[in-house]
Amino acid sequence: SFTGNGGTGTSNNHGVQIHSTSLIASGALTVTGEANAGTSGTLNCGVYISNLSTLNGSTGLGSLITGIGGGGTDKNHGIFMAKDTSTNLLTGNYVGTEGDPGAPNSLDRTGGHTLFA
């Protein structure tokens, strides 16, 4: 289980950043990230997953990746997951809430991964 809150800077203040990392759970995998609503720039994502990361855990109701985007002007997504991420979780295991300024500039879930297509 991982929980994080973003900083108060301008840009790239993610609640949780998973970069070139493997998170593998024998049971439920829980990641919760919330970007700061008071940020003013771009890319303040709740959960930011990139660069060949792996997220594996029990599918179905057990595992949950939750992200809430922050404040700012653009791309403050709930969850950003790059297309090169490996995961056995299902779309329903990822719950994102867009930050400012809202869709279409900030999305609940994005990043090019096939689960979010």
Side-chain angles (χ1 to χ4, degrees), residues 45-97:
C45 301
V47 176
Y48 190 90
I49 308 160
S50 64
N51 205 34
L52 299 169
S53 292
T54 299
L55 278 75
N56 287 341
S58 60
T59 57
L61 298 176
S63 295
L64 189 60
I65 312 301
T66 306
I68 300 173
T73 58
D74 196 23
K75 300 177 183 166
N76 301 300
H77 310 301
I79 300 171
F80 176 95
M81 185 163 65
K83 64 183 174 183
D84 62 4
T85 301
S86 173
T87 184
N88 73 336
L89 303 179
L90 307 173
T91 304
N93 295 114
Y94 293 88
V95 178
T97 302

Side-chain angles (χ1 to χ4, degrees), residues 7-70:
T8 58
T10 305
S11 297
N12 296 300
N13 296 284
H14 310 304
V16 173
Q17 181 171 356
I18 302 166
H19 180 80
S20 299
T21 302
S22 293
L23 299 180
I24 300 172
S26 59
L29 174 63
T30 305
V31 177
T32 304
E34 184 172 353
N36 191 310
T39 53
S40 59
T42 62
L43 276 175
N44 298 299
C45 301
V47 176
Y48 190 90
I49 308 160
S50 64
N51 205 34
L52 299 169
S53 292
T54 299
L55 278 75
N56 287 341
S58 60
T59 57
L61 298 176
S63 295
L64 189 60
I65 312 301
T66 306
I68 300 173

